[in-house]
């Protein structure tokens, strides 16, 4: 007991000296590397602007808008000109109107019946709505993925910081223990035990550095900023636990129809209904009306200059071989498929909402338990073990076990924060 009390100033001085030395040596590194500090909202803004999948989704919306214009366009008339009865031996004298050429000018116009154009346009509008909802759903999914990647960066930064703190502490303890060994205060076995833990922490530190590089690269790809990913620094704090309380009373039925994936499936169901009506309208015969002007050559009449005539035609298709049965059956199958798809997406959305809500509540409980009970108890136990060790009332293994328990408890608390943050996303 006496030798332990005498060695306490030596242990304290060595610890402080080692920590100060490590801090001084680390200062140039902190200033040498420039950081790219981003909040979560700034990260999401960059992702919305630069993500390639979102750009493709915006192009799909423009394509769907063009399809509305295409579907609503009425058929253009067809102009036909014809010259016949051309005599290779000569076309006669006089002006062009007196030439022995039979000329015809004809205009044909298709008249769609059965509201085909209106149904096509309505179908295109519904598909455009579905495409917009798909884009919104893609945006939500991107925001969730980016948020989770941002949370992973935050967690990796915390693990790296905790590993560095543990390394500094164990290096200081190891240096002090070596002095105590040289003074004959502790055995070499105790020093070796501390050294094992110090080396283990260095392995954890290397793993934490690798994890931070991986998470930064992941979010860099999502942002289209792979070159700057190594400098990214997540600056947001962990989300408040009070946010979880706002979701307690929410039921899936209250928000299910507002989900973008459900809205997209519902729009495609409406488009399929319109498509089925359009397929039925194909059995309504379209009519092609034609008007014709014909100029006869002068040899065909007695008067000079020839003569002209007019004609009108009507074309009606005869459904004697095919009555569009395949198109109608295909449209009905597409309608059944869209209906089943909507039901499937709604069921999956309800399950996802309930599952995520339960995960959020469980994660919030774990965060509270770690914050209010586990962490304070682990810190008290570690401080008490260190105090007892410094006063000769405990062995080095007691201190290492208490420190190891505290480190594991901190990692568990960090994992709970990660799960809670991702559930909120």
């Amino acid at each position: 007991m006496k030798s332990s009390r005498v060695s306490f100033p030596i242990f304290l001085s060595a610890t402080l000296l080692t920590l100060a030395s490590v801090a001084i040596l680390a200062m140039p590194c902190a200033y040498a590397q420039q950081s790219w500090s981003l909040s979560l909202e700034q990260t999401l803004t960059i992702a919305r602007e630069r993500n390639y999948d979102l750009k493709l989704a915006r192009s799909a919306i423009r394509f769907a808008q063009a399809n509305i214009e295409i579907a609503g366009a009425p058929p253009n008339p067809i102009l036909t000109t014809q010259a016949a009865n051309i005599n290779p031996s000569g076309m006669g004298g006089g002006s062009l109107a007196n030439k022995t050429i039979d000329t015809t000018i004809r205009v044909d116009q298709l008249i769609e019946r059965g509201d085909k154009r209106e149904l096509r346009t309505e179908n295109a509008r519904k598909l455009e709505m579905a495409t917009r909802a798909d884009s919104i759903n893609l945006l939500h999914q991107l925001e969730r993925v980016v948020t989770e990647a941002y949370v992973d960066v935050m967690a990796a930064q915390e693990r790296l910081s905790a590993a560095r703190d543990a390394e500094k502490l164990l290096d200081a303890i190891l240096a002090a223990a070596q002095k105590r060994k040289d003074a004959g205060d502790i055995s070499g076995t105790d020093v070796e035990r501390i050294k094992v833990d110090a080396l283990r922490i260095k392995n954890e530190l290397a793993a934490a550095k690798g994890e931070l590089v991986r998470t930064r690269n992941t979010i860099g790809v999502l942002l289209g900023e792979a070159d700057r990913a190594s400098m990214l620094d997540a600056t947001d704090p962990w989300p408040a636990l009070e946010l979880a309380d706002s979701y307690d009373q929410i039921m899936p039925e209250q928000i299910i129809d507002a989900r973008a994936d459900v809205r997209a499936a519902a729009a495609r169901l409406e488009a399929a209904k319109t498509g089925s009506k359009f397929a039925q309208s194909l059995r309504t015969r379209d009519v092609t009306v034609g008007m014709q002007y014909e100029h006869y050559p002068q040899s065909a009449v007695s008067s000079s200059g020839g003569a002209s005539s007019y004609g009108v035609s009507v074309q009606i298709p005869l459904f004697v071989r095919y009555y569009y049965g395949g198109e109608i059956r295909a449209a009905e199958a597409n309608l059944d498929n869209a209906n089943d798809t909507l039901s499937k997406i709604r069921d999956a959305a309800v399950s996802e909402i309930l599952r995520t809500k339960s995960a959020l509540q469980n994660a919030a409980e774990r965060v509270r338990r770690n914050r209010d009970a586990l962490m304070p108890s682990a810190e008290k136990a570690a401080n008490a073990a260190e105090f007892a060790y410094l006063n000769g009332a405990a062995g080095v293994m007691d201190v290492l076990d208490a420190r190891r328990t505290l480190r594991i408890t901190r990692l568990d608390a960090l994992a709970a924060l990660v799960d809670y943050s991702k559930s909120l996303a």
Side-chain angles (χ1 to χ4, degrees):
M1 289 293 280
K2 184 176 181 181
S3 61
S4 298
R5 293 192 182 94
V6 171
S7 62
F8 175 72
I10 299 175
F11 173 79
L12 180 61
S13 300
T15 301
L16 294 177
L17 179 61
T18 305
L19 289 175
S21 300
V22 172
I24 292 173
L25 292 174
M27 286 176 63
C29 297
Y31 291 104
Q33 183 179 6
Q34 295 180 351
S35 64
W36 182 29
S37 300
L38 287 178
S39 66
L40 176 58
E41 186 55 41
Q42 290 173 328
T43 305
L44 291 174
T45 299
I46 295 174
R48 296 184 194 109
E49 293 174 352
R50 304 181 185 179
N51 185 263
Y52 295 113
D53 291 332
L54 276 183
K55 292 180 180 179
L56 293 175
R58 297 186 189 108
S59 298
I61 292 176
R62 293 196 300 270
F63 183 79
Q65 290 172 339
N67 281 338
I68 295 176
E69 183 178 354
I70 294 171
N76 289 316
I78 299 175
L79 174 66
T80 304
T81 61
Q82 180 180 349
N85 296 326
I86 301 175
N87 189 347
S89 299
M91 294 179 291
S95 64
L96 183 62
N98 295 325
K99 301 295 184 181
T100 57
I101 302 174
D102 188 359
T103 57
T104 304
I105 299 177
R106 180 184 180 89
V107 176
D108 292 288
Q109 174 65 60
L110 174 66
I111 300 176
E112 292 184 306
R113 301 172 63 241
D115 297 328
K116 292 185 179 66
R117 182 153 57 99
E118 291 77 6
L119 291 172
R120 277 200 313 269
T121 304
E122 183 66 20
N123 179 267
R125 285 199 185 99
K126 296 298 183 182
L127 291 177
E128 192 265 349
M129 292 173 59
T131 304
R132 284 186 178 275
D134 285 338
S135 178
I136 295 173
N137 184 50
L138 179 62
L139 174 61
H140 291 169
Q141 296 299 324
L142 174 66
E143 290 175 344
R144 177 183 61 81
V145 172
V146 171
T147 301
E148 291 180 352
Y150 188 89
V151 169
D152 287 337
V153 173
M154 292 174 61
Q157 290 177 171
E158 293 243 356
R159 290 191 189 97
L160 180 58
S161 178
R164 284 173 174 166
D165 292 341
E167 181 193 36
K168 293 176 185 178
L169 179 62
L170 280 171
D171 284 346
I173 293 176
L174 180 61
Q178 188 65 47
K179 290 183 178 293
R180 292 183 65 180
K181 174 192 173 185
D182 295 342
D185 192 24
I186 60 174
S187 66
T189 304
D190 288 342
V191 175
E192 292 301 319
R193 288 171 176 172
I194 297 174
K195 185 181 295 184
V196 168
D197 263 37
L199 293 174
R200 185 180 297 154
I201 284 297
K202 293 184 184 299
N203 288 337
E204 292 183 11
L205 178 60
K209 290 179 179 179
E211 179 67 11
L212 182 58
V213 171
R214 185 191 67 79
T215 55
R216 282 174 169 172
N217 288 335
T218 299
I219 199 170
V221 171
L222 292 172
L223 300 182
E225 290 282 358
D227 295 339
R228 302 177 63 188
S230 61
M231 300 183 295
L232 190 144
D233 183 23
T235 60
D236 267 16
W238 294 101
L241 285 175
E242 290 73 19
L243 294 174
D245 299 333
S246 60
Y247 294 96
D248 287 342
Q249 305 303 322
I250 293 180
M251 299 304 295
E253 295 78 10
Q254 297 173 313
I255 60 176
I256 188 68
D257 291 328
R259 283 176 58 111
D261 54 350
V262 175
R263 295 206 313 272
R268 285 191 170 86
L269 175 59
E270 294 300 319
K273 292 178 180 178
T274 306
S276 179
K277 293 179 182 179
F278 176 77
Q280 293 287 344
S281 72
L282 294 175
R283 288 181 171 177
T284 301
R285 292 170 174 83
D286 296 335
V287 177
T288 302
V289 178
M291 298 183 65
Q292 177 176 303
Y293 167 79
E294 184 173 0
H295 180 73
Y296 291 88
Q298 61 181 0
S299 61
V301 294
S302 58
S303 60
S304 177
S308 300
S309 65
Y310 302 89
V312 177
S313 67
V314 177
Q315 299 180 34
I316 301 175
L318 301 177
F319 297 155
V320 294
R321 296 182 178 177
Y322 186 64
Y323 203 37
Y324 294 101
E327 285 82 353
I328 292 174
R329 288 195 298 272
E332 290 174 350
N334 186 47
L335 177 59
D336 292 339
N337 180 67
N339 197 14
D340 293 339
T341 300
L342 176 59
S343 299
K344 177 183 177 181
I345 291 177
R346 285 181 63 89
D347 291 344
V350 170
S351 176
E352 182 182 2
I353 292 171
L354 293 175
R355 184 176 64 252
T356 306
K357 182 179 176 182
S358 176
L360 177 63
Q361 293 170 346
N362 292 335
E365 291 177 3
R366 288 168 54 203
V367 171
R368 287 192 181 94
R369 191 179 301 113
N370 282 310
R371 182 193 64 186
D372 300 336
L374 289 175
M375 282 299 301
S377 297
E379 289 175 352
K380 288 180 182 178
N383 293 334
E386 290 177 6
F387 180 79
Y389 173 72
L390 294 176
N391 289 275
V396 67
M397 288 303 298
D398 296 327
V399 177
L400 295 179
D401 287 342
R403 273 286 158 191
R404 197 176 297 118
T405 300
L406 177 59
R407 189 165 65 251
I408 294 173
T409 304
R410 283 177 176 170
L411 292 177
D412 289 342
L414 179 59
L417 281 172
V418 170
D419 292 342
Y420 173 70
S421 302
K422 290 185 176 181
S423 297
L424 279 177

